[in-house]
Amino acid sequence: MSPRKALIAALTAALLAGPAAAQAATSQGTPQIAPTPARERAAAATITWSLVRASNPTEDQRTAYDAITRAMNAAVARYNNLSDLGKTITVRYEPGVPTADGNINGTIRFGSNRSYMTERTALHEIAHTIGVGTSSGWSRLGGSGTWTGGQATALVKQYDGSGAKISTGGGHFWPYGLNFDNEMSNTAADRHVHLVAAMVRDGL
């Protein structure tokens, strides 16, 4: 046999053996196909916070830090349990602040008045860091004196009846804005968080 014919014969044998070999391999069992990975559910965002502390705090600072920590831990836990809002917050104790304030840049300041170092105040100020009274969405949806976003409006009607609305003014909202201590209860605090989350969905 000429070298050319020998080469053609060898190639033909290899081609014919290929499918048979493949069939033999699959006959030993069902081929294993890697499962398509399930699309993972996106993790819910969370609110985290940190307190700026003096390296050598005074007694006033220590007691303030303790009260602020209790207030913020309670408020952040409530937000994280009841919503998927996310924010990184930096908290400062600044005695010259008359009450407390929150900014959309993620800062909250507590003044020296211990009566404001409460969960109610912390919830209220966290809302400001998320955009209540501080965002362009707030101006667009709440600038008329009544919140016009559909989701939060539907929610307050669910809470308080078909005639209910969310009033806005001075960077705050009511009901459930937790603007004053006499507004605070567990129910009101939960509804506050749900309404802020609905405002965010509306475009806060």
Side-chain angles (χ1 to χ4, degrees):
M1 180 183 293
S2 70
R4 183 170 179 273
K5 288 184 176 179
L7 177 60
I8 291 171
L11 289 172
T12 301
L15 287 171
L16 291 174
Q23 181 62 38
T26 58
S27 67
Q28 295 174 4
T30 304
Q32 297 300 308
I33 300 172
T36 302
R39 187 174 64 179
E40 293 184 9
R41 179 176 171 273
T46 57
I47 294 173
T48 60
W49 75 280
S50 59
L51 177 62
V52 177
R53 297 172 180 265
S55 57
N56 187 24
T58 64
E59 180 62 21
D60 173 71
Q61 289 171 323
R62 281 195 297 272
T63 60
Y65 295 162
D66 288 346
I68 291 167
T69 296
R70 286 192 296 272
M72 287 297 299
N73 280 343
V76 167
R78 194 182 296 264
Y79 264 102
N80 287 339
N81 286 337
L82 299 177
S83 79
D84 60 358
L85 297 172
K87 194 76 180 185
T88 301
I89 298 171
T90 301
V91 180
R92 298 178 183 275
Y93 172 50
E94 297 190 7
V97 173
T99 57
D101 57 41
N103 191 292
I104 198 167
N105 68 10
T107 61
I108 293 175
R109 303 184 304 164
F110 286 88
S112 60
N113 189 333
R114 299 308 197 256
S115 69
Y116 290 97
M117 296 177 185
T118 62
E119 182 187 0
R120 194 277 304 172
T121 303
L123 288 165
H124 177 93
E125 301 307 338
I126 289 169
H128 286 313
T129 71
I130 291 170
V132 169
T134 57
S135 70
S136 59
W138 173 265
S139 300
R140 185 177 68 255
L141 295 165
S144 67
T146 301
W147 184 260
T148 59
Q151 295 207 34
T153 299
L155 191 56
V156 79
K157 288 179 185 297
Q158 179 184 319
Y159 293 151
D160 294 342
S162 60
K165 66 176 184 176
I166 301 171
S167 297
T168 59
H172 299 93
F173 72 91
W174 61 92
Y176 308 115
L178 305 183
N179 303 296
F180 302 100
D181 284 342
N182 62 7
E183 297 177 48
M184 181 64 176
S185 69
N186 273 325
T187 297
D190 288 354
R191 290 179 176 183
H192 168 86
V193 173
H194 287 308
L195 281 172
V196 172
M199 289 177 171
V200 170
R201 294 193 297 274
D202 282 334
L204 177 63

